[in-house]
Amino acid sequence: MGWFKRAPEDDFNTLPKRHPKIRGIKRRTLDMIMEASKDSYENGHEFAAVLRARKDVIHELLMLPDGGNRGKTSVMVYLHMLPIDLSIVGSVHSHPSSNYYPSEADLDFFGRAGSVNIIVAYPYNDRSWQAYNRSGEKIILDVIG
Ligand code: ZN
């Protein structure tokens, strides 16, 4: 109520933090995420994949064997099947709406998927995504190169 009302998901008290180890994401990798998310959207799916980093930059997507079109459940199954791979830092998934905030199910998923989790939302451009840590707090990722 009132002129100062903001969306409930906005948080006055915490500014986005930096991840202690991951500085950013490659422009090429972010573009691939956006393309795959658009494709999935047009086919009525959510896109989901695993993120890999080299040093402090996310540089690669591990697309799931089925193309990621079965979403976060297949990410978890896939992570479980892989040998321990320290270059895997987290996950990315798309939302079919313009809302890039994590759902309760997303928060549970983030806790298990890794310490960098990106949500991309419609229309899948530079202003429609956000990264979160394991606890669902916003983190800043630079887009590099
Ligand atoms: Zn989600």
Side-chain angles (χ1 to χ4, degrees), residues 36-48 67-71 94-96 124:
S37 296
K38 275 179 207 162
D39 277 1
S40 296
Y41 175 78
E42 283 158 15
N43 291 302
H45 298 292
E46 285 191 25
F47 169 72
N69 285 337
R70 292 184 206 138
S94 67
H95 281 176
Y124 313 111

PDB file of all heavy atoms in Angstrom, residues 36-48 67-71 94-96 124:
ATOM      1  N   ALA A  36      19.486 -20.872 -26.547  1.00  0.00           N
ATOM      2  CA  ALA A  36      18.881 -22.147 -26.156  1.00  0.00           C
ATOM      3  C   ALA A  36      17.570 -21.907 -25.403  1.00  0.00           C
ATOM      4  O   ALA A  36      16.606 -22.666 -25.549  1.00  0.00           O
ATOM      5  CB  ALA A  36      19.855 -22.944 -25.293  1.00  0.00           C
ATOM      6  N   SER A  37      17.526 -20.838 -24.612  1.00  0.00           N
ATOM      7  CA  SER A  37      16.310 -20.539 -23.854  1.00  0.00           C
ATOM      8  C   SER A  37      15.182 -20.101 -24.792  1.00  0.00           C
ATOM      9  O   SER A  37      14.024 -20.483 -24.595  1.00  0.00           O
ATOM     10  CB  SER A  37      16.585 -19.436 -22.821  1.00  0.00           C
ATOM     11  OG  SER A  37      17.521 -19.893 -21.873  1.00  0.00           O
ATOM     12  N   LYS A  38      15.529 -19.307 -25.807  1.00  0.00           N
ATOM     13  CA  LYS A  38      14.526 -18.893 -26.802  1.00  0.00           C
ATOM     14  C   LYS A  38      13.971 -20.114 -27.534  1.00  0.00           C
ATOM     15  O   LYS A  38      12.755 -20.235 -27.719  1.00  0.00           O
ATOM     16  CB  LYS A  38      15.158 -17.944 -27.834  1.00  0.00           C
ATOM     17  CG  LYS A  38      15.175 -16.509 -27.391  1.00  0.00           C
ATOM     18  CD  LYS A  38      15.846 -15.644 -28.455  1.00  0.00           C
ATOM     19  CE  LYS A  38      16.454 -14.413 -27.789  1.00  0.00           C
ATOM     20  NZ  LYS A  38      17.457 -13.745 -28.605  1.00  0.00           N
ATOM     21  N   ASP A  39      14.869 -20.996 -27.948  1.00  0.00           N
ATOM     22  CA  ASP A  39      14.447 -22.224 -28.634  1.00  0.00           C
ATOM     23  C   ASP A  39      13.501 -23.026 -27.755  1.00  0.00           C
ATOM     24  O   ASP A  39      12.460 -23.503 -28.212  1.00  0.00           O
ATOM     25  CB  ASP A  39      15.656 -23.121 -28.941  1.00  0.00           C
ATOM     26  CG  ASP A  39      16.363 -22.703 -30.213  1.00  0.00           C
ATOM     27  OD1 ASP A  39      15.920 -21.711 -30.836  1.00  0.00           O
ATOM     28  OD2 ASP A  39      17.352 -23.365 -30.565  1.00  0.00           O
ATOM     29  N   SER A  40      13.896 -23.200 -26.496  1.00  0.00           N
ATOM     30  CA  SER A  40      13.065 -23.983 -25.580  1.00  0.00           C
ATOM     31  C   SER A  40      11.706 -23.321 -25.395  1.00  0.00           C
ATOM     32  O   SER A  40      10.674 -23.984 -25.389  1.00  0.00           O
ATOM     33  CB  SER A  40      13.756 -24.126 -24.221  1.00  0.00           C
ATOM     34  OG  SER A  40      14.945 -24.869 -24.371  1.00  0.00           O
ATOM     35  N   TYR A  41      11.721 -21.996 -25.252  1.00  0.00           N
ATOM     36  CA  TYR A  41      10.470 -21.251 -25.069  1.00  0.00           C
ATOM     37  C   TYR A  41       9.529 -21.496 -26.248  1.00  0.00           C
ATOM     38  O   TYR A  41       8.338 -21.768 -26.063  1.00  0.00           O
ATOM     39  CB  TYR A  41      10.781 -19.765 -24.933  1.00  0.00           C
ATOM     40  CG  TYR A  41       9.572 -18.887 -24.861  1.00  0.00           C
ATOM     41  CD1 TYR A  41       8.844 -18.772 -23.677  1.00  0.00           C
ATOM     42  CD2 TYR A  41       9.141 -18.172 -25.978  1.00  0.00           C
ATOM     43  CE1 TYR A  41       7.720 -17.967 -23.608  1.00  0.00           C
ATOM     44  CE2 TYR A  41       8.021 -17.362 -25.914  1.00  0.00           C
ATOM     45  CZ  TYR A  41       7.316 -17.268 -24.730  1.00  0.00           C
ATOM     46  OH  TYR A  41       6.204 -16.474 -24.676  1.00  0.00           O
ATOM     47  N   GLU A  42      10.091 -21.421 -27.446  1.00  0.00           N
ATOM     48  CA  GLU A  42       9.266 -21.615 -28.642  1.00  0.00           C
ATOM     49  C   GLU A  42       8.714 -23.028 -28.737  1.00  0.00           C
ATOM     50  O   GLU A  42       7.687 -23.268 -29.361  1.00  0.00           O
ATOM     51  CB  GLU A  42      10.073 -21.260 -29.902  1.00  0.00           C
ATOM     52  CG  GLU A  42      10.161 -19.745 -30.075  1.00  0.00           C
ATOM     53  CD  GLU A  42      11.327 -19.297 -30.947  1.00  0.00           C
ATOM     54  OE1 GLU A  42      11.902 -20.147 -31.660  1.00  0.00           O
ATOM     55  OE2 GLU A  42      11.636 -18.094 -30.917  1.00  0.00           O
ATOM     56  N   ASN A  43       9.397 -23.964 -28.077  1.00  0.00           N
ATOM     57  CA  ASN A  43       8.933 -25.354 -28.082  1.00  0.00           C
ATOM     58  C   ASN A  43       8.178 -25.729 -26.811  1.00  0.00           C
ATOM     59  O   ASN A  43       7.896 -26.905 -26.579  1.00  0.00           O
ATOM     60  CB  ASN A  43      10.129 -26.292 -28.284  1.00  0.00           C
ATOM     61  CG  ASN A  43      10.707 -26.161 -29.684  1.00  0.00           C
ATOM     62  OD1 ASN A  43      10.012 -26.369 -30.668  1.00  0.00           O
ATOM     63  ND2 ASN A  43      11.962 -25.774 -29.776  1.00  0.00           N
ATOM     64  N   GLY A  44       7.897 -24.733 -25.993  1.00  0.00           N
ATOM     65  CA  GLY A  44       7.100 -24.970 -24.789  1.00  0.00           C
ATOM     66  C   GLY A  44       7.846 -25.661 -23.665  1.00  0.00           C
ATOM     67  O   GLY A  44       7.234 -26.295 -22.803  1.00  0.00           O
ATOM     68  N   HIS A  45       9.188 -25.530 -23.663  1.00  0.00           N
ATOM     69  CA  HIS A  45       9.984 -26.158 -22.605  1.00  0.00           C
ATOM     70  C   HIS A  45      10.702 -25.104 -21.791  1.00  0.00           C
ATOM     71  O   HIS A  45      10.836 -23.966 -22.209  1.00  0.00           O
ATOM     72  CB  HIS A  45      11.073 -27.051 -23.212  1.00  0.00           C
ATOM     73  CG  HIS A  45      10.569 -28.172 -24.026  1.00  0.00           C
ATOM     74  ND1 HIS A  45       9.891 -29.237 -23.483  1.00  0.00           N
ATOM     75  CD2 HIS A  45      10.647 -28.415 -25.359  1.00  0.00           C
ATOM     76  CE1 HIS A  45       9.581 -30.072 -24.452  1.00  0.00           C
ATOM     77  NE2 HIS A  45      10.022 -29.601 -25.593  1.00  0.00           N
ATOM     78  N   GLU A  46      11.249 -25.545 -20.650  1.00  0.00           N
ATOM     79  CA  GLU A  46      12.245 -24.748 -19.955  1.00  0.00           C
ATOM     80  C   GLU A  46      13.602 -25.315 -20.318  1.00  0.00           C
ATOM     81  O   GLU A  46      13.779 -26.523 -20.395  1.00  0.00           O
ATOM     82  CB  GLU A  46      12.067 -24.841 -18.435  1.00  0.00           C
ATOM     83  CG  GLU A  46      10.889 -24.033 -17.911  1.00  0.00           C
ATOM     84  CD  GLU A  46      10.896 -23.937 -16.394  1.00  0.00           C
ATOM     85  OE1 GLU A  46      11.970 -24.046 -15.769  1.00  0.00           O
ATOM     86  OE2 GLU A  46       9.807 -23.783 -15.834  1.00  0.00           O
ATOM     87  N   PHE A  47      14.557 -24.429 -20.517  1.00  0.00           N
ATOM     88  CA  PHE A  47      15.922 -24.849 -20.773  1.00  0.00           C
ATOM     89  C   PHE A  47      16.664 -24.995 -19.441  1.00  0.00           C
ATOM     90  O   PHE A  47      16.484 -24.192 -18.543  1.00  0.00           O
ATOM     91  CB  PHE A  47      16.619 -23.800 -21.643  1.00  0.00           C
ATOM     92  CG  PHE A  47      18.095 -23.991 -21.764  1.00  0.00           C
ATOM     93  CD1 PHE A  47      18.600 -25.038 -22.515  1.00  0.00           C
ATOM     94  CD2 PHE A  47      18.975 -23.149 -21.110  1.00  0.00           C
ATOM     95  CE1 PHE A  47      19.973 -25.231 -22.619  1.00  0.00           C
ATOM     96  CE2 PHE A  47      20.342 -23.331 -21.215  1.00  0.00           C
ATOM     97  CZ  PHE A  47      20.838 -24.368 -21.966  1.00  0.00           C
ATOM     98  N   ALA A  48      17.491 -26.033 -19.340  1.00  0.00           N
ATOM     99  CA  ALA A  48      18.340 -26.171 -18.146  1.00  0.00           C
ATOM    100  C   ALA A  48      19.660 -26.806 -18.553  1.00  0.00           C
ATOM    101  O   ALA A  48      19.704 -27.664 -19.437  1.00  0.00           O
ATOM    102  CB  ALA A  48      17.653 -27.015 -17.093  1.00  0.00           C
ATOM    103  N   GLY A  67      19.253 -32.569 -24.461  1.00  0.00           N
ATOM    104  CA  GLY A  67      19.133 -31.185 -24.873  1.00  0.00           C
ATOM    105  C   GLY A  67      18.664 -30.273 -23.752  1.00  0.00           C
ATOM    106  O   GLY A  67      18.498 -29.083 -23.936  1.00  0.00           O
ATOM    107  N   GLY A  68      18.474 -30.816 -22.587  1.00  0.00           N
ATOM    108  CA  GLY A  68      18.088 -29.991 -21.448  1.00  0.00           C
ATOM    109  C   GLY A  68      16.609 -29.697 -21.393  1.00  0.00           C
ATOM    110  O   GLY A  68      16.136 -28.990 -20.516  1.00  0.00           O
ATOM    111  N   ASN A  69      15.867 -30.262 -22.319  1.00  0.00           N
ATOM    112  CA  ASN A  69      14.462 -29.884 -22.405  1.00  0.00           C
ATOM    113  C   ASN A  69      13.579 -30.482 -21.321  1.00  0.00           C
ATOM    114  O   ASN A  69      12.422 -30.137 -21.224  1.00  0.00           O
ATOM    115  CB  ASN A  69      13.902 -30.214 -23.784  1.00  0.00           C
ATOM    116  CG  ASN A  69      14.406 -29.204 -24.807  1.00  0.00           C
ATOM    117  OD1 ASN A  69      14.785 -28.094 -24.439  1.00  0.00           O
ATOM    118  ND2 ASN A  69      14.422 -29.587 -26.061  1.00  0.00           N
ATOM    119  N   ARG A  70      14.142 -31.362 -20.538  1.00  0.00           N
ATOM    120  CA  ARG A  70      13.338 -31.872 -19.426  1.00  0.00           C
ATOM    121  C   ARG A  70      13.604 -31.111 -18.134  1.00  0.00           C
ATOM    122  O   ARG A  70      13.115 -31.469 -17.086  1.00  0.00           O
ATOM    123  CB  ARG A  70      13.574 -33.365 -19.232  1.00  0.00           C
ATOM    124  CG  ARG A  70      13.013 -34.135 -20.421  1.00  0.00           C
ATOM    125  CD  ARG A  70      13.132 -35.620 -20.234  1.00  0.00           C
ATOM    126  NE  ARG A  70      13.178 -36.247 -21.540  1.00  0.00           N
ATOM    127  CZ  ARG A  70      13.988 -37.236 -21.850  1.00  0.00           C
ATOM    128  NH1 ARG A  70      14.810 -37.732 -20.945  1.00  0.00           N
ATOM    129  NH2 ARG A  70      13.968 -37.754 -23.046  1.00  0.00           N
ATOM    130  N   GLY A  71      14.432 -30.082 -18.227  1.00  0.00           N
ATOM    131  CA  GLY A  71      14.537 -29.152 -17.117  1.00  0.00           C
ATOM    132  C   GLY A  71      15.433 -29.584 -15.978  1.00  0.00           C
ATOM    133  O   GLY A  71      16.343 -30.384 -16.143  1.00  0.00           O
ATOM    134  N   SER A  94      15.816 -21.616 -17.604  1.00  0.00           N
ATOM    135  CA  SER A  94      14.989 -20.527 -18.118  1.00  0.00           C
ATOM    136  C   SER A  94      13.604 -20.561 -17.504  1.00  0.00           C
ATOM    137  O   SER A  94      13.130 -21.611 -17.056  1.00  0.00           O
ATOM    138  CB  SER A  94      14.878 -20.638 -19.645  1.00  0.00           C
ATOM    139  OG  SER A  94      14.152 -21.790 -20.010  1.00  0.00           O
ATOM    140  N   HIS A  95      13.001 -19.397 -17.456  1.00  0.00           N
ATOM    141  CA  HIS A  95      11.592 -19.274 -17.067  1.00  0.00           C
ATOM    142  C   HIS A  95      10.787 -18.856 -18.290  1.00  0.00           C
ATOM    143  O   HIS A  95      11.278 -18.075 -19.111  1.00  0.00           O
ATOM    144  CB  HIS A  95      11.429 -18.217 -15.976  1.00  0.00           C
ATOM    145  CG  HIS A  95      11.804 -18.693 -14.612  1.00  0.00           C
ATOM    146  ND1 HIS A  95      11.800 -17.868 -13.508  1.00  0.00           N
ATOM    147  CD2 HIS A  95      12.177 -19.909 -14.168  1.00  0.00           C
ATOM    148  CE1 HIS A  95      12.157 -18.558 -12.439  1.00  0.00           C
ATOM    149  NE2 HIS A  95      12.401 -19.801 -12.800  1.00  0.00           N
ATOM    150  N   PRO A  96       9.567 -19.328 -18.408  1.00  0.00           N
ATOM    151  CA  PRO A  96       8.750 -18.967 -19.567  1.00  0.00           C
ATOM    152  C   PRO A  96       8.084 -17.596 -19.421  1.00  0.00           C
ATOM    153  O   PRO A  96       7.350 -17.166 -20.306  1.00  0.00           O
ATOM    154  CB  PRO A  96       7.702 -20.087 -19.592  1.00  0.00           C
ATOM    155  CG  PRO A  96       7.569 -20.511 -18.169  1.00  0.00           C
ATOM    156  CD  PRO A  96       8.928 -20.318 -17.545  1.00  0.00           C
ATOM    157  N   TYR A 124      14.712 -13.073 -22.774  1.00  0.00           N
ATOM    158  CA  TYR A 124      16.034 -13.708 -22.919  1.00  0.00           C
ATOM    159  C   TYR A 124      17.064 -12.770 -23.527  1.00  0.00           C
ATOM    160  O   TYR A 124      17.659 -13.034 -24.562  1.00  0.00           O
ATOM    161  CB  TYR A 124      15.912 -15.029 -23.722  1.00  0.00           C
ATOM    162  CG  TYR A 124      14.767 -15.870 -23.221  1.00  0.00           C
ATOM    163  CD1 TYR A 124      13.631 -16.078 -23.997  1.00  0.00           C
ATOM    164  CD2 TYR A 124      14.796 -16.413 -21.924  1.00  0.00           C
ATOM    165  CE1 TYR A 124      12.554 -16.805 -23.508  1.00  0.00           C
ATOM    166  CE2 TYR A 124      13.725 -17.132 -21.431  1.00  0.00           C
ATOM    167  CZ  TYR A 124      12.606 -17.321 -22.235  1.00  0.00           C
ATOM    168  OH  TYR A 124      11.544 -18.019 -21.746  1.00  0.00           O
TER     169      TYR A 124
END
